[in-house]
Amino acid sequence: MVRALSTLVGAVFVFVLGIALWGTVSTAITEPAPPTAEHEFHLSPREAGLSSAGLFGKFDLRQVQRGFQVYQEVCSACHSLKYVSFRDLKEIGYNDGQIKTIATEWKIEQPSVNPETGEATTRKNLPSDRFPSPFANDVAARAANNNALPPDLSLMTKARHDGQDYVYSLLTGYRPQPAALLKHFPDAKTPAGLHYNPYFPNLNLAMPPPLTTEGQVQYQDGTKASVDQMSKDVSAFLTWTAEPKLEARHQAGFASVIFLVIFVFLAWGAYKNVWRDQAH
């Protein structure tokens, strides 16, 4: 009796679920959702063409260093790198002396407490310190950025689909709203204080264009600092901050594939050797 009742309840549940599913599907077919500005005008990221892309990608350390310079001189005014330490820069070619100088001269110092008075103060950065946030807290960050909270950039290229291409496209994607968008979606006009960018999911973001003019950063290696070049370079740097062991992972993956191929041939040979007499 209990089993029959349980079966009946389950059948009713499946029946009701089927009706609900059919209603949803039929409504989606007969009354499709109206197109939105985001759906019609959002663009997929353009390829940045970085050397770290692909199965055998490797970091161009000169480019990563240029990207760090862009972050240092432009992006660090608003964005933090809370998961990266100054001493991590050794992995991209800086020596101990250079790292110590960068940490000591960094424009934002580490928050600290005076042991004698207990009052909040600051101290010079050490190589072991992580990059300090440019704002004391989220409230201060919002107050300085039109109530928008600048995201931490440490893992940005891992947090976004096609992250390195996304960062590059976003930085080079600012433009006026197209006339076609305003014609078909008059209510989608970019609000005051925001900036149109078709590579951003909702088309409008609070961050103004950070890279606007050629030579905005004077590269130490003499590379011509066009907006496109600076955007690629900082994308390369943020790819490294998000995945500093990328090259080791690629090498380990390639070695694993080679091992598996060899193992398959060895297993096939063993099989043929063990069962060679069974065919007679």
Side-chain angles (χ1 to χ4, degrees), residues 159-235:
R160 300 291 185 272
H161 181 63
D162 293 330
Q164 58 186 6
D165 296 334
Y166 169 80
V167 172
Y168 165 69
S169 299
L170 189 74
L171 292 174
T172 57
Y174 290 90
R175 62 194 66 176
Q177 279 190 301
L181 185 151
L182 297 176
K183 178 180 179 181
H184 294 94
F185 304 96
D187 295 336
K189 184 177 180 180
T190 299
L194 300 183
H195 306 270
Y196 179 76
N197 192 315
Y199 297 101
F200 195 67
N202 69 0
L203 306 181
N204 303 299
L205 72 164
M207 181 177 71
L211 301 173
T212 56
T213 57
E214 181 175 315
Q216 188 172 341
V217 174
Q218 297 295 320
Y219 281 139
Q220 297 173 358
D221 65 357
T223 300
K224 183 179 179 181
S226 64
V227 172
D228 188 79
Q229 184 66 56
M230 290 185 289
S231 300
K232 287 182 178 180
D233 293 343
V234 76
S235 299

Side-chain angles (χ1 to χ4, degrees), residues 33-44 181 185 198 200-203:
T36 63
E38 292 84 352
H39 180 267
E40 295 292 325
F41 289 89
H42 178 254
L43 300 178
S44 299
L181 185 151
F185 304 96
F200 195 67
N202 69 0
L203 306 181

Side-chain angles (χ1 to χ4, degrees), residues 59 64 81 83-84 88 91-92 152-160 163-164 167 234-246 249:
F59 289 118
V64 176
L81 281 180
Y83 297 117
V84 183
D88 293 334
E91 297 182 21
I92 62 174
D152 179 79
L153 297 182
S154 306
L155 304 175
M156 183 55 65
T157 60
K158 293 283 284 185
R160 300 291 185 272
Q164 58 186 6
V167 172
V234 76
S235 299
F237 173 67
L238 294 179
T239 300
W240 171 78
T241 64
E243 196 167 6
K245 304 300 182 183
L246 177 141
R249 180 173 61 81

Side-chain angles (χ1 to χ4, degrees), residues 23-276:
T24 302
V25 172
S26 61
T27 300
I29 295 174
T30 58
E31 301 178 17
T36 63
E38 292 84 352
H39 180 267
E40 295 292 325
F41 289 89
H42 178 254
L43 300 178
S44 299
R46 298 182 295 123
E47 288 189 12
L50 302 183
S51 62
S52 56
L55 295 176
F56 304 102
K58 298 181 65 177
F59 289 118
D60 179 347
L61 295 187
R62 290 183 60 186
Q63 182 175 47
V64 176
Q65 288 185 6
R66 292 197 304 268
F68 169 64
Q69 191 178 346
V70 175
Y71 169 77
Q72 181 179 18
E73 298 184 19
V74 181
C75 309
S76 65
C78 296
H79 297 277
S80 58
L81 281 180
K82 63 182 180 181
Y83 297 117
V84 183
S85 300
F86 287 100
R87 62 186 175 190
D88 293 334
L89 296 176
K90 193 169 186 176
E91 297 182 21
I92 62 174
Y94 290 97
N95 59 42
D96 292 335
Q98 291 173 316
I99 293 172
K100 185 175 181 180
T101 299
I102 291 171
T104 302
E105 297 179 352
W106 196 258
K107 53 192 172 184
I108 305 296
E109 296 185 338
Q110 291 288 330
S112 183
V113 175
N114 188 319
E116 298 179 359
T117 64
E119 295 180 353
T121 182
T122 59
R123 63 166 176 80
K124 295 290 186 179
N125 295 288
L126 301 174
S128 58
D129 289 325
R130 292 182 177 181
F131 283 86
S133 172
F135 303 104
N137 51 49
D138 289 354
V139 175
R142 290 184 182 278
N145 291 278
N146 195 27
N147 203 38
L149 182 63
D152 179 79
L153 297 182
S154 306
L155 304 175
M156 183 55 65
T157 60
K158 293 283 284 185
R160 300 291 185 272
H161 181 63
D162 293 330
Q164 58 186 6
D165 296 334
Y166 169 80
V167 172
Y168 165 69
S169 299
L170 189 74
L171 292 174
T172 57
Y174 290 90
R175 62 194 66 176
Q177 279 190 301
L181 185 151
L182 297 176
K183 178 180 179 181
H184 294 94
F185 304 96
D187 295 336
K189 184 177 180 180
T190 299
L194 300 183
H195 306 270
Y196 179 76
N197 192 315
Y199 297 101
F200 195 67
N202 69 0
L203 306 181
N204 303 299
L205 72 164
M207 181 177 71
L211 301 173
T212 56
T213 57
E214 181 175 315
Q216 188 172 341
V217 174
Q218 297 295 320
Y219 281 139
Q220 297 173 358
D221 65 357
T223 300
K224 183 179 179 181
S226 64
V227 172
D228 188 79
Q229 184 66 56
M230 290 185 289
S231 300
K232 287 182 178 180
D233 293 343
V234 76
S235 299
F237 173 67
L238 294 179
T239 300
W240 171 78
T241 64
E243 196 167 6
K245 304 300 182 183
L246 177 141
E247 293 183 20
R249 180 173 61 81
H250 285 177
Q251 293 171 1
F254 180 71
S256 298
V257 170
I258 296 298
F259 169 78
L260 290 174
V261 170
I262 295 175
F263 177 78
V264 166
F265 277 101
L266 290 175
W268 179 78
Y271 166 79
K272 298 293 290 185
N273 185 59
V274 170
W275 295 96
R276 61 183 176 181

